[in-house]
Amino acid sequence: MAIRTLVWGENVHEQTNKTVAGIYPEGMHTQIAKLLAADEEISVKTTTLQEPEHGLTERALGETDVLVWWGHQAHGDVGDEIVERVAKRVWEGMGLIVLHSGHFSKIFKRLMGSPCALNWREAGERERLWVVNPGHPIARGLPAYFEIENEEMYGEPFSVPEPLETVFVSWFQGGEVFRSGLTYRRGAGNVFYFRPGHETYPTYHHETVGLVLRNAVNWAYNPERYPTITTAPNVPVENALEPIEARGGSVHAEGQEGFR
Amino acid sequence: MAIRTLVWGENVHEQTNKTVAGIYPEGMHTQIAKLLAADEEISVKTTTLQEPEHGLTERALGETDVLVWWGHQAHGDVGDEIVERVAKRVWEGMGLIVLHSGHFSKIFKRLMGSPCALNWREAGERERLWVVNPGHPIARGLPAYFEIENEEMYGEPFSVPEPLETVFVSWFQGGEVFRSGLTYRRGAGNVFYFRPGHETYPTYHHETVGLVLRNAVNWAYNPERYPTITTAPNVPVENALEPIEARGGSVHAEGQEGFR
Amino acid sequence: MAIRTLVWGENVHEQTNKTVAGIYPEGMHTQIAKLLAADEEISVKTTTLQEPEHGLTERALGETDVLVWWGHQAHGDVGDEIVERVAKRVWEGMGLIVLHSGHFSKIFKRLMGSPCALNWREAGERERLWVVNPGHPIARGLPAYFEIENEEMYGEPFSVPEPLETVFVSWFQGGEVFRSGLTYRRGAGNVFYFRPGHETYPTYHHETVGLVLRNAVNWAYNPERYPTITTAPNVPVENALEPIEARGGSVHAEGQEGFR
Amino acid sequence: MAIRTLVWGENVHEQTNKTVAGIYPEGMHTQIAKLLAADEEISVKTTTLQEPEHGLTERALGETDVLVWWGHQAHGDVGDEIVERVAKRVWEGMGLIVLHSGHFSKIFKRLMGSPCALNWREAGERERLWVVNPGHPIARGLPAYFEIENEEMYGEPFSVPEPLETVFVSWFQGGEVFRSGLTYRRGAGNVFYFRPGHETYPTYHHETVGLVLRNAVNWAYNPERYPTITTAPNVPVENALEPIEARGGSVHAEGQEGFR
């Protein structure tokens, strides 16, 4: 009963930028999947933007426990109806892990309800991620900190809602800081944002990054689904758990659905 | 320097349902505004769905510190571009108080990123709101609990994100409970959801409800605006706060904006 | 590699009150342990206040992954040094589940840093627990609500810190509500407070209560320990991760420990 | 109706260390008070460890709306009964602002229920505080970041509970990060921890530090007091809000107080 994990890759930079293609000859999604496959509790598939329905068909999502998302240049090419479909699956219990530039993906902004903006600099500087919540399952087995020698800088303020918990905070060589690992729940679905992963650096060849991603998939996994989480059922008076009688005026005819 | 507060009313039930018209002959928004006006620190205006741009023009929002929202039957008639405009203002620092059936308003769902669903029953039953967070500014001056003799029931689960703080929890005669007062921050804007206020009962003639609303406006008020909260500026290497040199590959041409 | 769980029972009412002895002839702790043992991932032991060091020796705690605490009449008899020992183990990663009247136990108040007070009534009234967070691991497999026909009432305000997440809210027949399932993290240890369990009613014979407790043990389990979580090590200048030189005045002699 | 603020200073380093005495010839508490007095809504007094009852008599606390705490070397000299007295006042609604080395003060550890440990280095290095929550009242009027050229380093993990909100995160020259501004509520009292303020550097002569402290006092101010927050009153059956009849067994004699 492995955790069925789907890695979604935008797969654009790999086709157009020689540096990226050199680091990730099989695509970033393939390398991310390799990191996850090192955990035998995780069974991994990959798909990309270029597939029909971006590879995120009802069937594919129905067979997915945790979705991992990497996108950047082509956020705008993701269909709105696909975004709504993914959001609904998250609310019903599918986990979602959003990586790096995915902070501006439609699905992350949809679930956060906030701008998700930040400052940035692409200079290959040193990033040092500090574990600020050592008992959190996503930090399991990690050292006190780990370094990524070359990364893009993301700087605060990161305009996201206050998280359930902050797991990592990054130090950058150029003087900025960033909350690099943040957890959320939306409906019955667990959401984790993890900052590192710029396409022009070999971040997804970093051993500790792999451990974080495997931990995150395990943390985000919810074996149950709650298809009723989006429904707003009427409870008729005669079915009330304690006996009551209807009083006062009404705008709803008997048996009518609520307004949405 | 009063808090410029705008009460937005859908103003549909008042025109179509005799019970509602009888309780709120000048409209629900007008009565809500009267409750707020009892605080001399609050200056109140009202507007409705029927106004051009639903009364939510750039200019009107530019003169608003806190927006109070009551809608129900006509959620779907609110223009999407108006919803985005209001969301942006909230992110920049405008407060938002969402009332009762507004849980399914486009603006609330937009800011929560979750279904915002619940169970309901329109039976005029007794609701008792308990203060679970007596030190919260929104609970200031309140008794340990207060009762509304006739209200619509809303029952858990209420599929919203875990709030910053829970202020009220409701007991219902028919056997349900509901988290009735929830606080959020989205960008620089404070958001408060307050449950009571069904149109067929005189809830907005209830003295304690008025006190809650006045407290909520005071709590939600942020005198500052942050127009940059949606921007993602590049920080050039030469402007880094600590001296660094660019290393590694790049996908961004010099001076290029980030991808959204 | 089962979760080593220790059920701690005060074991006083069982010896002095016929009603309690009739419901729990082998002691409440024994019955709670039976509920847990239904999960084959959990290996259970029990101990009581009357044992040397209340059964909470360094060795016993060293072999415990999750501690379950039921106490009431004899909170004051628990030794302060034992409380500190348990708190330290929680900070290092041991899970803790505090039941019912344990809200006033020394260990819970120690970890919360707040009064942990509430209103109460011992009248055997009906309690209905609503799941307000259906996707939370502690709610796994539960129905939308469950009822306990006879329970002591606990009413808000419950003066505890805002939890990480609220899992259950209770409705009481006499008109009160209570946040009945609350999660916290203290250091590396997960803490769950669960309200039901008054000694004069057969609450720990309730099937759904058993499921909640088994879920809670699984949720609270952290396989790692962090013995350094209470230390405040000095990082000498020469060991700084980035090269710096000491500047300015000093109150600490070289190699001196910090002040506590 | 100014906010009655009491600055508590340990006042030991000023008497024993020439560097500290040179920077704060009238004591650190006096300089902190000067920063606060720049806000005409704040009326400030000071007191020190050396006063009878450390200057924290029932009367003094009864006249205090917000207490500001600076201590370091002499944490252990603060009487336990005074700590309990202060904690009780916080629970009842008094605000508390804990500065810098106060992370290890008895009162802060008492209210947090966690180790409050961290890593540290006294090397006068550069600290840059980033505002991560620009809409928070404590960040009002602040720039995106501010620098303190010489400070002691505090590094993560900071073993405190997850805060209500994180306001500041610090970057340190030597490579560490720290969550430098954290908000909590304990009972009805607002608590703010603010990191900077090492005694051997002129931090409390920094203009922006003064603005943060003034904002924090305004945020922490609660005009109400809740003396009942530590009580656990019994609600007799005959006073139940909804009519019920007592059922089942009992351990409490009629009118008996609860067990603590």
Side-chain angles (χ1 to χ4, degrees), chain A residues 13 17 19-20 72-76 91 103-104 109-126 149-150 152-153 159-162 164 172-176 185-187 198-201 228-253 256-260, chain B residues 13 17 19-20 72-76 91 103-104 109-126 149-150 152-153 159-162 164 172-176 185-187 198-201 228-253 256-260:
Chain A
H13 299 284
N17 181 295
T19 303
V20 182
H72 189 195
Q73 181 171 337
H75 291 324
W91 297 335
H103 73 92
F104 261 167
K109 291 189 294 183
R110 177 70 177 89
L111 293 171
M112 294 297 106
S114 71
C116 305
L118 45 79
N119 303 309
W120 60 280
R121 177 176 56 233
E122 191 191 30
E125 68 201 88
R126 188 178 314 124
E149 188 53 32
N150 297 106
E152 187 179 28
M153 181 281 288
S159 48
V160 286
E162 189 75 19
L164 284 180
F172 285 98
Q173 196 179 356
E176 284 88 357
R185 200 188 301 276
R186 286 293 179 270
H198 194 58
E199 60 268 25
T200 59
Y201 315 117
T228 63
I229 201 134
T230 55
T231 64
N234 177 247
V235 182
V237 173
E238 59 272 21
N239 292 356
L241 297 164
E242 304 287 331
I244 57 170
E245 288 183 18
R247 297 182 289 173
S250 174
V251 296
H252 295 283
Q256 186 187 10
E257 292 223 346
F259 304 120
R260 302 192 70 130
Chain B
H13 298 285
N17 181 295
T19 303
V20 183
H72 189 196
Q73 182 171 335
H75 290 326
W91 297 335
H103 74 91
F104 261 166
K109 292 190 292 183
R110 177 71 177 89
L111 293 171
M112 293 296 106
S114 72
C116 305
L118 45 78
N119 303 309
W120 60 280
R121 179 176 53 234
E122 191 192 30
E125 68 201 88
R126 186 177 315 123
E149 188 53 33
N150 297 107
E152 187 178 30
M153 182 281 289
S159 47
V160 285
E162 189 75 19
L164 284 180
F172 286 98
Q173 195 180 356
E176 284 88 356
R185 200 188 302 276
R186 287 294 179 267
H198 194 57
E199 60 268 25
T200 60
Y201 315 116
T228 62
I229 200 133
T230 55
T231 65
N234 178 248
V235 183
V237 173
E238 60 271 23
N239 293 355
L241 298 164
E242 304 287 331
I244 57 171
E245 288 182 18
R247 296 182 289 170
S250 173
V251 295
H252 295 282
Q256 187 188 9
E257 291 223 347
F259 303 120
R260 302 192 71 133

Side-chain angles (χ1 to χ4, degrees), chain B:
Chain B
M1 295 291 291
I3 303 172
R4 300 167 302 171
T5 304
L6 181 62
V7 179
W8 187 90
E10 184 183 280
N11 193 32
V12 171
H13 298 285
E14 296 95 322
Q15 313 302 328
T16 59
N17 181 295
K18 282 189 181 172
T19 303
V20 183
I23 302 171
Y24 300 109
E26 299 175 89
M28 298 181 77
H29 49 286
T30 306
Q31 176 56 25
I32 293 167
K34 280 185 189 169
L35 293 178
L36 297 178
D39 182 340
E40 57 186 26
E41 304 281 325
I42 300 175
S43 78
V44 201
K45 291 182 181 175
T46 67
T47 192
T48 65
L49 175 69
Q50 293 78 29
E51 296 297 311
E53 304 184 41
H54 316 322
L56 301 170
T57 59
E58 289 283 4
R59 180 170 174 179
L61 292 175
E63 296 170 348
T64 298
D65 293 318
V66 178
L67 179 64
V68 180
W69 192 279
W70 195 99
H72 189 196
Q73 182 171 335
H75 290 326
D77 295 346
V78 178
D80 289 341
E81 73 288 359
I82 304 293
V83 173
E84 288 306 302
R85 185 190 291 168
V86 173
K88 187 160 182 291
R89 288 299 295 181
V90 170
W91 297 335
E92 291 174 356
M94 182 182 73
L96 178 68
I97 297 169
V98 175
L99 299 174
H100 188 62
S101 42
H103 74 91
F104 261 166
S105 64
K106 287 183 178 180
I107 182 61
F108 190 61
K109 292 190 292 183
R110 177 71 177 89
L111 293 171
M112 293 296 106
S114 72
C116 305
L118 45 78
N119 303 309
W120 60 280
R121 179 176 53 234
E122 191 192 30
E125 68 201 88
R126 186 177 315 123
E127 175 179 15
R128 183 178 296 112
L129 291 100
W130 289 90
V131 175
V132 306
N133 197 338
H136 195 284
I138 295 179
R140 204 158 282 170
L142 290 179
Y145 67 87
F146 61 99
E147 295 180 355
I148 303 176
E149 188 53 33
N150 297 107
E151 252 297 351
E152 187 178 30
M153 182 281 289
Y154 279 5
E156 294 279 351
F158 185 23
S159 47
V160 285
E162 189 75 19
L164 284 180
E165 296 186 78
T166 301
V167 183
F168 305 113
V169 173
S170 285
W171 179 99
F172 286 98
Q173 195 180 356
E176 284 88 356
V177 296
F178 198 76
R179 292 168 294 163
S180 281
L182 301 173
T183 67
Y184 297 92
R185 200 188 302 276
R186 287 294 179 267
N190 298 309
V191 179
F192 181 59
Y193 175 78
F194 186 53
R195 199 215 75 82
H198 194 57
E199 60 268 25
T200 60
Y201 315 116
T203 298
Y204 296 119
H205 292 280
H206 192 298
E207 192 175 348
T208 310
V209 167
L211 179 53
V212 171
L213 294 180
R214 291 188 292 274
N215 283 345
V217 167
N218 278 278
W219 170 82
Y221 174 52
N222 182 347
E224 295 199 341
R225 290 296 174 275
Y226 304 81
T228 62
I229 200 133
T230 55
T231 65
N234 178 248
V235 183
V237 173
E238 60 271 23
N239 293 355
L241 298 164
E242 304 287 331
I244 57 171
E245 288 182 18
R247 296 182 289 170
S250 173
V251 295
H252 295 282
E254 196 178 325
Q256 187 188 9
E257 291 223 347
F259 303 120
R260 302 192 71 133

Side-chain angles (χ1 to χ4, degrees), chain C residues 13 17 19-20 72-76 91 103-104 109-126 149-150 152-153 159-162 164 173-176 185-187 198-201 228-237 239-253 256-260, chain D residues 13 17 19-20 72-76 91 103-104 109-126 149-150 152-153 159-162 164 173-176 185-187 198-201 228-237 239-253 256-260:
Chain C
H13 299 285
N17 182 294
T19 303
V20 183
H72 188 196
Q73 182 171 335
H75 290 325
W91 297 335
H103 73 92
F104 260 167
K109 291 189 294 184
R110 176 71 178 88
L111 293 170
M112 293 296 105
S114 71
C116 304
L118 44 78
N119 303 309
W120 60 279
R121 177 175 56 234
E122 192 191 30
E125 68 202 89
R126 187 177 313 123
E149 187 54 32
N150 297 107
E152 187 179 28
M153 181 282 287
S159 48
V160 286
E162 189 76 19
L164 284 180
Q173 196 179 356
E176 285 87 357
R185 199 187 303 275
R186 287 294 179 270
H198 193 58
E199 59 268 25
T200 60
Y201 316 117
T228 63
I229 201 133
T230 54
T231 64
N234 176 248
V235 183
V237 172
N239 292 356
L241 298 163
E242 305 287 332
I244 56 171
E245 288 182 18
R247 297 183 287 172
S250 174
V251 295
H252 296 282
Q256 187 187 10
E257 291 221 348
F259 304 120
R260 302 193 70 131
Chain D
H13 299 284
N17 182 295
T19 303
V20 183
H72 189 195
Q73 183 171 333
H75 290 324
W91 297 335
H103 74 92
F104 261 166
K109 292 189 293 184
R110 176 71 177 90
L111 293 171
M112 293 297 106
S114 71
C116 305
L118 46 79
N119 304 308
W120 60 280
R121 179 176 54 233
E122 191 191 30
E125 67 202 89
R126 187 176 315 123
E149 188 53 32
N150 297 106
E152 187 179 29
M153 181 281 288
S159 48
V160 285
E162 189 75 19
L164 284 180
Q173 196 179 356
E176 285 87 356
R185 200 188 302 276
R186 287 292 179 271
H198 193 58
E199 61 268 24
T200 60
Y201 315 116
T228 63
I229 201 134
T230 55
T231 65
N234 177 248
V235 183
V237 173
N239 293 355
L241 298 164
E242 304 287 331
I244 57 171
E245 288 182 18
R247 296 182 289 172
S250 173
V251 295
H252 296 282
Q256 187 187 8
E257 291 222 347
F259 304 120
R260 300 193 71 131

Side-chain angles (χ1 to χ4, degrees), chain A residues 13-26 199:
Chain A
H13 299 284
E14 297 94 322
Q15 313 302 327
T16 59
N17 181 295
K18 283 189 180 172
T19 303
V20 182
I23 302 171
Y24 300 110
E26 299 175 271
E199 60 268 25

